Amino acid sequence: RATRLEIHDVAGRRVLGRDLGVLPAGVTRWDWDGRDSEGRRVAAGLYLARLTAGNTAITRRLVLLP
């Protein structure tokens, strides 16, 4: 299943979207450098990360520190 990661700010605006392709079973790590889709640093604060694979989606809160 193709996997997609999106990061949104608390207002619901998409900050970053990445197609991660088909990932192997198990643990996969992906580090966010605090930049948006245009490569600009975003403000410190609360963000929501949504990972979607097929019909399954999970959302987690992220805190970006300065």
Side-chain angles (χ1 to χ4, degrees), residues 20-66:
L20 303 177
V22 178
L23 299 176
V27 176
T28 299
R29 180 179 168 147
W30 187 83
D31 294 318
W32 179 41
D33 63 0
R35 296 181 187 275
D36 66 11
S37 295
E38 303 297 320
R40 299 175 297 231
R41 292 206 60 51
V42 297
L46 183 64
Y47 292 86
L48 300 171
R50 182 173 180 86
L51 183 68
T52 307
N55 294 329
T56 303
I58 59 171
T59 302
R60 297 289 185 264
R61 289 182 299 269
L62 305 175
V63 177
L64 183 62
L65 301 173

Side-chain angles (χ1 to χ4, degrees), residues 6-28:
E6 292 187 340
I7 298 177
H8 297 263
D9 64 16
V10 291
R13 294 180 295 254
R14 188 173 69 187
V15 174
L16 180 71
R18 289 281 188 263
D19 287 318
L20 303 177
V22 178
L23 299 176
V27 176
T28 299

